[in-house]
Amino acid sequence: MEASRIALPIGTALDRFIKNNQDQFQYASGELSQLLRDIALASKVVNREINKAGLIDIMGAIGSQNPTGEQQQKLDVLANIRFTRALSKGGEVCALISEETESFVDLNNDGNYVIAIDPLDGSSNIDVNVSVGTIFSIYRRKSEVGQPINEQDILQTGDDQVAAGYILYGSSTMLVYTTGHGVNGFTYEPTLGEYVLSHPDMTMPATGKIYSINEGLSNSFSPSVKAYLQHCKDKNYTARYIGALVADFHRNMLKGGIYIYPATAKDANGKLRLMYECNALSFIAEQAGGKATDGIRRIMEIKPMNLHQRTPFYVGSAEMVERAIKC
Ligand code: AHG
Ligand code: MN
Ligand code: MN
């Protein structure tokens, strides 16, 4: 964070924090601040639904598939509705890219921002009461306000992000975000209904002892990924894999570690989606001193060709990601 800025203390409410830091943003007009507030509000509603998941009929699959061919859970659809509604109300968003919709959703043509979102990440964890998340990336539109949205507005690279974040619905609920000036984490205080600053200026340890990968798929990993896994074992690292990217990423960010979803025999580009999973976490990782790559390029340099494009993903502590690239 910049030296001239007064550091707000732990316990500061998210609203106040956003307001205090608004002028860090080169287009400061309050729109981005409002957008972050809209996302925070929708996440509180989703948090409430998740907490009730065992009690009302919102668990399990809905019987349909999302655009990348995965079973949609009832809460995937519900979370998508909640975020879409919140983001359309404010008027700041001109287009929304979501895991749950085939093509982008046109919102307010006078809005300045494009959002890419994974409304519910790790949704198969819901039925078994394990952590899930939301991931979002925010871009400025490239075309003039009022013009129809075009491909340039939608298919922006990660380096074009103006803000990104995630919400982790875990043992407590947290919102972590960056606007390119470091990373800050807020914990939800349910009795107040507020996110409060709990993790100011988050940094990722340069190295760690945790590796997170679905090792059940290892028969179809490339020799280089297998070699890196052997290196992890030779170093007596600890394997930790929740199966919800946000939760695995968050743990590794706090403790130091690497998350890998490599190419497999089934998915030559891995499983994770560039636009609404990998870019946001890469922005946060880099802002916190970590790294993110597809094995060859920085994730945020990859030019997307379509909304639901997948990419191999190596993210986490800088030294560990560098070591994995060497393999
Ligand atoms: P989503 O629920 O949004 O489709 O994402 C699931 C992703 C990610 O959260 C997780 O890390 C990964 O799928 C787990 O995949 P495997 O079950 O193949 O390990
Ligand atoms: Mn996901
Ligand atoms: Mn999802």
Side-chain angles (χ1 to χ4, degrees):
M1 203 155 279
E2 285 141 27
S4 58
R5 190 167 303 279
I6 306 159
L8 290 173
I10 285 179
T12 300
L14 175 66
D15 250 20
R16 176 138 186 254
F17 185 91
I18 291 174
K19 213 174 276 164
N20 189 65
N21 293 289
Q22 189 167 303
D23 62 329
Q24 274 181 337
F25 187 59
Q26 61 166 312
Y27 309 99
S29 66
E31 285 175 305
L32 182 72
S33 303
Q34 187 53 44
L35 237 175
L36 289 167
R37 282 191 210 105
D38 291 343
I39 290 173
L41 178 63
S43 77
K44 292 180 197 175
V45 179
V46 170
N47 181 59
R48 192 183 62 195
E49 309 290 349
I50 288 169
N51 285 338
K52 286 191 299 199
L55 301 172
I56 51 176
D57 183 31
I58 50 173
M59 295 210 297
I62 200 166
S64 54
Q65 291 188 341
N66 71 17
T68 43
E70 287 153 2
Q71 277 284 333
Q72 279 180 314
Q73 307 291 312
K74 287 178 194 160
L75 268 164
D76 283 325
V77 176
L78 214 139
N80 192 42
I81 292 170
R82 295 294 187 207
F83 280 102
T84 309
R85 220 179 260 167
L87 292 168
S88 56
K89 260 194 199 144
E92 295 87 10
V93 183
C94 54
L96 181 74
I97 298 155
S98 166
E99 180 188 356
E100 306 305 334
T101 45
E102 181 80 48
S103 57
F104 68 87
V105 182
D106 251 319
L107 294 178
N108 175 16
N109 214 15
D110 290 330
N112 270 313
Y113 293 93
V114 174
I115 302 228
I117 192 162
D118 177 353
L120 203 63
D121 172 65
S123 52
S124 60
N125 277 354
I126 285 278
D127 292 1
V128 289
N129 210 348
V130 176
S131 299
V132 290
T134 295
I135 309 173
F136 60 92
S137 292
I138 305 179
Y139 299 87
R140 290 280 295 188
R141 70 186 290 169
K142 301 254 184 200
S143 60
E144 291 286 314
V145 166
Q147 294 295 309
I149 302 302
N150 64 43
E151 202 179 282
Q152 277 202 329
D153 298 318
I154 300 298
L155 298 178
Q156 301 196 44
T157 58
D159 275 331
D160 292 324
Q161 290 170 102
V162 294
Y166 61 81
I167 295 120
L168 171 60
Y169 311 95
S171 48
S172 56
T173 295
M174 276 194 76
L175 166 68
V176 175
Y177 81 92
T178 182
T179 54
H181 300 269
V183 182
N184 288 282
F186 300 80
T187 300
Y188 184 57
E189 215 297 17
T191 58
L192 298 175
E194 290 261 25
Y195 282 103
V196 295
L197 181 63
S198 52
H199 295 62
D201 275 329
M202 294 171 81
T203 52
M204 194 178 258
T207 191
K209 291 189 176 306
I210 296 173
Y211 69 104
S212 312
I213 186 167
N214 185 346
E215 231 172 329
L217 305 173
S218 60
N219 280 348
S220 70
F221 292 164
S222 67
S224 50
V225 174
K226 286 181 182 160
Y228 181 70
L229 289 184
Q230 192 52 51
H231 165 80
C232 293
K233 288 167 192 165
D234 294 344
K235 290 268 193 186
N236 289 321
Y237 287 171
T238 297
R240 288 282 181 274
Y241 192 74
I242 294 169
L245 173 61
V246 170
D248 281 309
F249 175 86
H250 183 74
R251 181 202 51 243
N252 292 356
M253 171 130 129
L254 295 183
K255 298 201 164 195
I258 184 169
Y259 176 96
I260 305 177
Y261 208 113
T264 61
K266 186 167 157 255
D267 296 306
N269 289 313
K271 177 183 181 187
L272 300 176
R273 279 64 51 102
L274 175 64
M275 292 210 67
Y276 44 80
E277 290 178 317
C278 303
N279 272 336
L281 299 186
S282 301
F283 191 15
I284 290 170
E286 289 193 7
Q287 283 292 316
K291 289 204 163 182
T293 164
D294 68 352
I296 300 164
R297 295 164 292 180
R298 277 177 67 242
I299 290 290
M300 290 199 289
E301 282 168 14
I302 301 172
K303 171 85 188 116
M305 306 307 280
N306 68 69
L307 304 187
H308 302 286
Q309 179 171 328
R310 297 175 195 268
T311 177
F313 194 39
Y314 301 69
V315 66
S317 294
E319 288 173 21
M320 297 176 88
V321 175
E322 272 157 25
R323 184 67 181 75
I325 295 170
K326 260 195 206 150
C327 282

